[in-house]
Amino acid sequence: MARPASSTSDVFLYALAIFVPPLSVFFKVGCTSQFWINILLWILGWIPGVLHAWWIISKFERPAAYTAY
C-alpha cells in the first residue's frame, strides 16, 4: 500500500532541513536521541546532517495528537 503524500508541515521541514537540519528534526521528533545524532552528523558535515534529517522526516509520521479529524 502506498504511503500518503507529505503534509504541508513536512514540506516545510524538508526545506528547513536544507539550512538547519537539527531544527527540523527537533520539530519532528522532539529532543530525542535522533535529534542528538543529527547534531553530531551536522557537525561532521552538512550533507550527512541533511540526509539524516530527510530520513527522519520521511520515516516518522506526525503524532496522533496533531492529527486533524
Side-chain angles (χ1 to χ4, degrees), residues 5-43:
S6 294
S7 66
T8 304
S9 63
D10 282 351
V11 172
F12 173 74
L13 290 176
Y14 283 118
L16 182 63
I18 294 172
F19 302 105
V20 188
L23 190 58
S24 62
V25 172
F26 177 77
F27 286 149
K28 188 69 174 182
V29 295
C31 193
T32 62
S33 61
Q34 295 294 336
F35 171 71
W36 296 108
I37 291 169
N38 191 266
I39 286 179
L40 291 174
L41 287 171
W42 193 40
I43 289 170

Side-chain angles (χ1 to χ4, degrees), residues 26-69:
F26 177 77
F27 286 149
K28 188 69 174 182
V29 295
C31 193
T32 62
S33 61
Q34 295 294 336
F35 171 71
W36 296 108
I37 291 169
N38 191 266
I39 286 179
L40 291 174
L41 287 171
W42 193 40
I43 289 170
L44 292 173
W46 175 74
I47 293 175
V50 170
L51 292 177
H52 181 258
W54 285 349
W55 179 71
I56 293 297
I57 294 166
S58 65
K59 179 181 177 189
F60 291 95
E61 296 188 17
R62 287 185 288 164
Y66 297 114
T67 306
Y69 291 102

